[in-house]
Amino acid sequence: MTEPKPPANAAASSGATKASPSAGTKPVASGGTSSRRFGWDRGALARRVTALPTPVKWLLIALFVVFLYALPLLEIPIISTPDTDFGAVLFTVASYVLVALGLNIVLGYAGLLDLGYVGFYAVGAYTVAVLGSFQAHLSWWMLIPLAVLFSTISGLLLGAPTLRVRGDYLAIVTLGFGEIIRLTALNTEWLGAAKGITQVPRPPSVEWFEIPHLQWDGFTAFIDLGDTTKFLFFGVADQAPYYWLALTVIFLVLGADRMLRRSRVGRSWEATREDEDAAELMGVPTFRFKLLAFACGAFIGGLSGALFASRQGFINPESFQLLLSILFVAAVVVGGAGNIYGVTLGAIVVGYLPERFRGFEEWRLLVFGVALILLANFRPQGLLPPRRAKRAIAADEQLEALEEGTARV
Amino acid sequence: MSDAPVVERPAAHEGSALLSLDDVSIRFGGLLALDGVSFDVRQGEIFSLIGPNGAGKTTCFNVMTGVYQPTSGLIRFDGEPLGDRKRFAITRLGIARTFQNIRLFGNMTALENVLVGADAHHRTGVVDALFRTPRHRREEREGEETARDVMRFLGLERRANELARNLSYGEQRRLEIARAMATRPRLLCLDEPAAGFNPAEKAQLMDLIRRIRDRGLTVLLIEHDMSLVMGVSDRVTVLEFGRKIAEGTPTEVRNDPAVIAAYLGTETAEEGES
């Protein structure tokens, strides 16, 4: 197999050894050893949890879900943000999580590096804004499906011509797409141009009952009847209801993600990521599945953008900078592309930390850069790499050790 | 043992051409990689394609599986021209292959690799998967059965949940065959399946190839190892510089002066290599 070949076979094998476009899914051999040194043993905890009887597991999950919904009411001193409404921060984090879950399908599962994901986010947001206040006055319940529809269509329109190119080229084309969407919005009077769109419709409110918040005095908490959240009033001051809405959407998306992952669709995405040519030759219509991944990603991105616009009440092209796309990719890669818990954690890190430490805002990008460098060095697979990548790294290490062993003999 | 992936061999088709190449040429720039190659692979036989390095064997596979379009000539599968069918469509038609340099989906488990193959005939889409429709459930069940059966056949059932990349070299080679067989092919193309094998493993492989044929598959083999080719093949075609120089039973081919010249005259070390 190593003998020199004439051009005919060389052409075949050069096509064969093409690299996977996603850095996040490629185990880096040199990082393998360090990730073991600096990693923690997740296996032990996971084993202990899976060993629990099923009802206990369900109870724990239920408690955790209740805890997540209750977060904005608990006002826990250390994690609550001192400078901004905690509900608003939680919503921001939730929308990052949603975006990361969507991008994870494109980047983590199908291995397509999309640097213009903010474009879909913008299409979702602008659909709600333009059709909800600026040019028409559709009801919010109509706007959300329309926003998702338009972003999905834009995903298909972008994907159909560009998914024929691979790797770096795809990254550049998608990068361009994100900018085109922003610049179009910026330069089109019909879309509000630079001054943006105000009076974006909020989700319809009901005012059923009020829920009191907790108040903390040192380590004791008491119920503060003076500080309540109206269920479910989507206003400006108290943003907890938006967080509840986003959290609910996240759970729905998580469910859908799981269904897709454990089906022909998920397998085809992964096979395409691992080796596109081999997948095609095993009967996977890879182009169709890449397009599908793009559409699913755009669907979730558009949904997230629509929620963002209806929370914000006001949008302009400034909200959809290129930097946001980079942050989205960072959330996925930092957390661990391909692992939904990983990307969720990544999104929390990218979305929450800057809000918590607002005092250091000028240092934000610097700290972020340093953190990324450290991460790339010590955990190249992300904070919570997919179980498989981790096992694969272990296998590589074994192999390396074996090779070294035989070399010495 | 489930016989799901076994394709019934109708007696009427016995010995008729399953795959036929008719005057196939392919040109890469100035190089004529295949020059008017014609041969028939008959239903139910083990057919080998041999030749010195660069003779055009793998190119032949690539043309048959839709990786390249022939510059001229016609390829028929079961009487039907392949035309400009996409690669995945050709696989669905019933031609499956393995790769010279192993190309598994390394970060997927062995079982998942084989399931991808089994999915070749499945139609489950996003809606089916999201709502767990009867189609999804039926295809998952069928796929799993096919995969388990094929893996049992290849002695990989205990490795089902290992990552493909964690398997040993020999297991990876067999997993490639399993994945290809899961697509329920009628023609299985093996590209140098014995590369890197020791004599004992080669003997096992020979036995395996015969057992694959006994399951009703037609086998097309590219191989460097002469003892393996001569031991297992019903018929052999020899390529040199993209041209067919001989065809016949192993004995006929071995005694063909053109073949002897091609092998002994230029590359004596051929046999022991790779």
Side-chain angles (χ1 to χ4, degrees):
Chain A
M1 274 175 342
T2 50
E3 311 93 328
K5 286 178 180 143
N9 283 356
S13 55
S14 77
T17 53
K18 62 101 199 173
S20 155
S22 152
T25 58
K26 285 293 254 195
V28 182
S30 63
T33 41
S34 38
S35 88
R36 181 177 52 180
R37 235 184 302 136
F38 292 88
W40 56 85
D41 187 14
R42 263 194 304 144
L45 182 67
R47 270 194 300 280
R48 212 171 279 178
V49 171
T50 38
L52 290 171
T54 317
V56 179
K57 254 187 288 185
W58 280 110
L59 186 69
L60 281 178
I61 292 171
L63 280 176
F64 185 61
V65 170
V66 170
F67 170 74
L68 286 180
Y69 274 100
L71 255 182
L73 306 174
L74 298 178
E75 309 269 6
I76 303 165
I78 302 160
I79 65 167
S80 282
T81 43
D83 310 319
T84 24
D85 174 40
F86 192 45
V89 172
L90 284 174
F91 173 83
T92 308
V93 174
S95 64
Y96 267 85
V97 170
L98 200 51
V99 165
L101 287 174
L103 186 56
N104 182 48
I105 291 179
V106 180
L107 179 56
Y109 296 164
L112 305 164
L113 184 51
D114 183 349
L115 290 182
Y117 199 67
V118 75
F120 304 126
Y121 190 72
V123 169
Y126 265 93
T127 306
V128 169
V130 171
L131 296 182
S133 78
F134 197 53
Q135 304 291 356
H137 289 277
L138 301 181
S139 95
W140 189 82
W141 291 109
M142 286 278 291
L143 289 170
I144 296 297
L146 278 176
V148 167
L149 179 72
F150 286 143
S151 64
T152 308
I153 290 174
S154 68
L156 291 173
L157 288 180
L158 171 66
T162 58
L163 287 174
R164 295 175 200 280
V165 301
R166 289 180 184 179
D168 308 346
Y169 301 101
L170 181 67
I172 291 166
V173 175
T174 51
L175 187 86
F177 167 77
E179 282 295 275
I180 288 169
I181 297 286
R182 184 179 68 85
L183 291 172
T184 307
L186 186 64
N187 292 303
T188 311
E189 223 30 70
W190 196 77
L191 296 172
K195 60 184 187 303
I197 300 170
T198 53
Q199 307 277 303
V200 180
R202 297 178 182 282
S205 300
V206 287
E207 294 174 44
W208 283 332
F209 48 83
E210 309 219 343
I211 313 171
H213 288 217
L214 284 185
Q215 201 172 6
W216 293 78
D217 182 17
F219 287 101
T220 49
F222 51 90
I223 293 168
D224 181 3
L225 289 172
D227 184 10
T228 58
T229 293
K230 223 176 266 168
F231 188 91
L232 260 169
F233 180 72
F234 293 95
V236 180
D238 186 355
Q239 306 217 331
Y242 297 100
Y243 164 67
W244 290 330
L245 177 65
L247 191 61
T248 309
V249 173
I250 287 174
F251 284 126
L252 291 176
V253 168
L254 278 176
D257 185 281
R258 187 189 168 90
M259 292 296 170
L260 289 179
R261 197 156 31 96
R262 299 181 175 186
S263 75
R264 170 178 177 241
V265 178
R267 279 194 297 273
S268 301
W269 282 338
E270 283 196 87
T272 307
R273 178 193 72 205
E274 292 290 309
D275 187 331
E276 193 169 335
D277 293 311
E280 179 92 17
L281 283 163
M282 290 305 129
V284 179
T286 53
F287 177 72
R288 205 178 301 162
F289 276 102
K290 286 195 291 180
L291 198 56
L292 196 57
F294 240 57
C296 290
F299 182 102
I300 299 170
L303 187 57
S304 186
L307 293 181
F308 166 78
S310 32
R311 191 282 303 252
Q312 202 77 350
F314 162 79
I315 60 165
N316 70 1
E318 286 289 299
S319 324
F320 308 100
Q321 299 281 3
L322 171 65
L323 183 65
L324 207 53
S325 277
I326 307 290
L327 280 179
F328 293 161
V329 172
V332 171
V333 174
V334 164
N339 178 348
I340 47 171
Y341 305 107
V343 300
T344 304
L345 181 66
I348 292 171
V349 168
V350 169
Y352 171 72
L353 291 185
E355 295 289 344
R356 176 67 185 80
F357 301 103
R358 251 184 192 271
F360 305 92
E361 202 161 16
E362 313 91 275
W363 299 87
R364 194 163 137 174
L365 284 177
L366 181 67
V367 171
F368 199 61
V370 171
L372 274 183
I373 291 171
L374 289 176
L375 196 82
N377 260 299
F378 297 120
R379 288 192 78 80
Q381 292 285 304
L383 292 172
L384 289 181
R387 178 179 46 92
R388 290 181 185 145
K390 194 165 174 179
R391 275 162 62 184
I393 290 171
D396 281 348
E397 281 169 8
Q398 275 173 11
L399 211 70
E400 256 171 56
L402 262 170
E403 277 168 5
E404 279 168 23
T406 46
R408 253 179 255 122
V409 168
Chain B
M1 200 165 178
S2 152
D3 56 351
V6 179
V7 177
E8 282 298 315
R9 243 192 313 166
H13 281 273
E14 192 81 40
S16 64
L18 180 63
L19 177 88
S20 69
L21 270 71
D22 187 8
D23 199 22
V24 170
S25 298
I26 183 162
R27 182 179 285 281
F28 297 107
L31 182 94
L32 200 55
L34 289 180
D35 183 3
V37 172
S38 305
F39 59 81
D40 287 347
V41 181
R42 294 177 197 151
Q43 194 91 246
E45 71 177 344
I46 299 173
F47 185 95
S48 288
L49 208 52
I50 64 169
N53 285 314
K57 305 182 296 288
T58 297
T59 308
C60 227
F61 263 32
N62 284 338
V63 170
M64 281 156 28
T65 50
V67 176
Y68 303 138
Q69 282 293 318
T71 314
S72 66
L74 196 61
I75 303 170
R76 282 201 186 84
F77 183 71
D78 204 17
E80 209 178 321
L82 289 185
D84 54 1
R85 278 192 175 79
K86 294 251 167 50
R87 292 172 291 176
F88 68 86
I90 290 176
T91 307
R92 285 178 183 171
L93 213 58
I95 304 180
R97 68 176 283 179
T98 64
F99 299 92
Q100 192 174 344
N101 35 357
I102 298 171
R103 293 180 66 177
L104 291 165
F105 310 126
N107 288 318
M108 299 172 77
T109 65
L111 178 64
E112 284 170 330
N113 267 270
V114 183
L115 282 174
V116 170
D119 280 335
H121 297 284
H122 291 168
R123 291 266 175 272
T124 294
V126 167
V127 176
D128 295 300
L130 282 182
F131 297 102
R132 293 299 194 240
T133 59
R135 168 153 69 183
H136 165 87
R137 277 175 283 153
R138 174 170 44 78
E139 289 186 348
E140 273 316 276
R141 203 172 48 237
E142 278 174 7
E144 177 111 6
E145 268 170 28
T146 306
R148 297 261 177 214
D149 174 43
V150 169
M151 292 183 83
R152 207 177 303 124
F153 177 71
L154 285 151
L156 289 168
E157 71 270 32
R158 290 192 168 170
R159 312 293 278 159
N161 293 320
E162 283 298 324
L163 287 189
R165 57 187 304 156
N166 291 9
L167 300 183
S168 73
Y169 180 76
E171 286 169 337
Q172 292 194 1
R173 284 251 170 238
R174 273 184 285 149
L175 184 57
E176 274 225 327
I177 298 176
R179 186 178 64 176
M181 283 180 73
T183 67
R184 305 188 186 197
R186 297 173 65 194
L187 177 68
L188 180 65
C189 306
L190 305 173
D191 196 347
E192 295 198 26
F197 275 10
N198 64 33
E201 289 169 323
K202 277 176 191 165
Q204 282 174 5
L205 180 68
M206 251 200 258
D207 177 53
L208 175 65
I209 292 173
R210 288 199 198 96
R211 285 196 295 134
I212 291 173
R213 192 256 318 266
D214 294 342
R215 274 173 78 112
L217 272 72
T218 307
V219 179
L220 175 54
L221 181 69
I222 289 183
E223 189 46 68
H224 269 308
D225 188 86
M226 282 305 142
S227 60
L228 190 134
V229 168
M230 295 304 168
V232 79
S233 313
D234 295 314
R235 289 190 307 134
V236 179
T237 278
V238 189
L239 295 181
E240 190 191 19
F241 300 123
R243 228 176 265 133
K244 184 167 95 171
I245 58 168
E247 185 177 279
T249 64
T251 327
E252 285 165 9
V253 165
R254 198 172 4 209
N255 298 323
D256 191 299
V259 177
I260 294 168
Y263 271 85
L264 299 182
T266 54
E267 297 196 42
T268 36
E270 187 62 43
E271 222 174 289
E273 270 181 13
S274 64

